[in-house]
């Protein structure tokens, strides 16, 4: 999920800041960014997208 990292860095946020804004743990964010975990809940996608101010589909776009 490199798109997640890309969007986070565009905001200039640390993983801790995204965790605070989204309500998703920093550990989960780190695992998602490294590809060691995939998102299995739509609620996680929605929380991350809302925090990053993007559409959920943008997080799922694996081609970018």
């Amino acid at each position: 999920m490199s798109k997640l990292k890309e969007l986070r860095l565009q905001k200039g946020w640390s993983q801790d800041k995204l965790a605070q804004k989204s309500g998703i743990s920093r550990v989960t964010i780190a695992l998602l960014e490294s590809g060691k975990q995939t998102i299995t809940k739509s609620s996680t996608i929605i929380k991350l997208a809302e925090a990053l101010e993007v559409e959920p589909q943008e997080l799922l776009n694996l081609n970018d």
Side-chain angles (χ1 to χ4, degrees):
M1 173 139 295
S2 61
K3 187 67 172 181
L4 176 61
K5 184 175 183 178
E6 178 185 326
L7 292 167
R8 176 179 62 78
L9 292 176
Q10 284 176 5
K11 292 272 190 189
W13 291 353
S14 65
Q15 290 178 344
D16 288 324
K17 175 95 176 197
L18 179 55
Q20 179 185 28
K21 294 263 186 192
S22 67
I24 304 298
S25 77
R26 189 208 53 81
V27 170
T28 298
I29 291 168
L31 290 171
L32 290 169
E33 288 185 356
S34 70
K36 293 180 180 175
Q37 180 176 326
T38 58
I39 296 177
T40 56
K41 294 182 180 179
S42 59
S43 61
T44 300
I45 296 168
I46 291 168
K47 287 178 183 179
L48 290 168
E50 286 177 351
L52 292 164
E53 299 176 326
V54 298
E55 292 296 320
Q57 296 88 334
E58 192 167 349
L59 284 177
L60 298 174
N61 190 348
L62 302 176
N63 296 327
D64 287 344

